[in-house]
Amino acid sequence: MHSDSIVSIRNLNYYVGAKPLRQQILFDINVEVKPREIVIMTGPSGSGKTTLLTLIGGLRSVQEGSLKFLNQELRGANEKQLVQVRRHIGYIFQAHNLLEFLTARQNVQMSLELWKDIPEQEAKAKAEEVLEAVQLGDKIDLHPQKLSGGQKQRVAIARALVSSPRLVLADEPTAALDGKTGRTVVELMQRLAKEQGSALLLVTHDNRILDIADRIINMEDGHLVSKMLTKK
Ligand code: ADP
Ligand code: MG
């Protein structure tokens, strides 16, 4: 069956540990992410949010059920296929994971050159343009240690979005930031995702940013328990 979903998950289960201590962490997950959609996932700590995100991102293997990314089945995919999948995904984690010995621009540019065969001058210009879009135009030549927490997370956003990925996965990207900075960072992420044409799946505990979502899903004890539409 053809579908235009970015992510399509059917009856997904996930387990950790070896028998007889095997423990089920995700239970019968069904979810879709459409092109350009912004989905926020909430839920208590330990409920399985990161596990689901890493499965979608091709960072761990699908065991049971179906998980399709751009219509490609990831269950049974080999490492080479997973590497292809990761090219279309931008990742933003709680910690920024920037390389300390590179400047803001070099961190962003490297992500672009890693995946796309584009000339250095073009990559440089594109990196600068995206850093300007996250309001860091005056910080492009600084190393991470010279930047605040919010500024570093904005570089991480620029790095994740510079290659216009089909999907951005963000795992509690504002957890280390104060409320106001977190809000600014998320609004920039939302704007950039819309501009680059990327879908965004964002995990957060922060109730104050739920309004940026097109849709909110809720994880509890490994079950996706509710889906409510916030916007038409
Ligand atoms: P969340 O991101 O919602 O806080 P996680 O997906 O990180 O939750 O974890 C869900 C549950 O799975 C937790 O109980 C965690 O301890 C457990 N878990 C995750 N990965 C492993 C693993 N490799 N081995 C054992 N337990 C794990
Ligand atoms: Mg987590």
Side-chain angles (χ1 to χ4, degrees):
M1 193 181 75
H2 181 76
S3 121
D4 70 344
S5 291
I6 301 292
V7 178
S8 177
I9 299 178
R10 290 280 174 272
N11 309 115
L12 180 82
N13 294 312
Y14 190 79
Y15 309 83
V16 293
K19 286 174 186 169
L21 297 175
R22 194 168 85 145
Q23 184 195 351
Q24 188 164 1
I25 289 185
L26 295 176
F27 299 80
D28 197 27
I29 303 291
N30 291 280
V31 71
E32 304 274 327
V33 180
K34 299 289 183 191
R36 296 169 175 265
E37 191 178 31
I38 296 183
V39 179
I40 286 187
M41 177 160 51
T42 61
S45 183
S47 58
K49 305 182 299 296
T50 295
T51 305
L52 182 58
L53 233 59
T54 52
L55 283 163
I56 294 171
L59 302 172
R60 41 174 121 194
S61 302
V62 177
Q63 300 165 341
E64 250 178 57
S66 168
L67 195 168
K68 288 183 182 163
F69 179 77
L70 301 177
N71 270 322
Q72 188 195 336
E73 179 59 70
L74 298 196
R75 183 176 173 189
N78 61 33
E79 184 59 25
K80 197 172 158 213
Q81 291 168 316
L82 291 179
V83 168
Q84 280 301 323
V85 163
R86 290 178 209 139
R87 281 178 180 238
H88 297 287
I89 299 179
Y91 300 90
I92 302 165
F93 301 102
Q94 181 173 338
H96 55 80
N97 300 112
L98 299 178
L99 296 174
E100 295 292 338
F101 56 91
L102 297 180
T103 65
R105 177 181 57 72
Q106 288 166 336
N107 265 285
V108 175
Q109 189 176 334
M110 199 187 73
S111 142
L112 198 56
E113 289 172 344
L114 211 55
W115 297 126
K116 305 227 163 163
D117 187 21
I118 70 170
E120 190 185 339
Q121 280 309 312
E122 209 177 297
K124 190 175 170 208
K126 181 74 184 164
E128 286 174 8
E129 180 192 316
V130 176
L131 281 164
E132 268 160 33
V134 296
Q135 295 160 15
L136 289 175
D138 57 341
K139 306 273 190 261
I140 57 174
D141 291 324
L142 297 186
H143 288 81
Q145 81 232 25
K146 292 275 167 72
L147 301 172
S148 71
Q151 290 167 343
K152 279 188 270 206
Q153 204 55 311
R154 273 144 63 191
V155 177
I157 289 165
R159 180 184 56 182
L161 281 145
V162 69
S163 56
S164 304
R166 298 298 298 279
L167 175 66
V168 176
L169 296 173
D171 197 353
E172 308 202 32
T174 63
L177 307 176
D178 67 73
K180 189 165 171 286
T181 309
R183 175 85 207 174
T184 311
V185 160
V186 163
E187 280 173 359
L188 286 167
M189 202 183 308
Q190 175 194 32
R191 207 191 75 211
L192 214 54
K194 293 288 182 198
E195 278 173 17
Q196 306 284 319
S198 308
L200 172 59
L201 178 55
L202 168 71
V203 170
T204 186
H205 285 297
D206 189 348
N207 289 329
R208 288 165 301 192
I209 62 177
L210 297 182
D211 61 292
I212 70 145
D214 297 318
R215 192 153 56 92
I216 298 167
I217 58 180
N218 189 22
M219 184 77 89
E220 257 176 51
D221 290 334
H223 300 263
L224 274 184
V225 289
S226 66
K227 292 183 192 177
M228 49 183 170
L229 287 168
T230 55
K231 287 184 199 162
K232 185 102 193 345

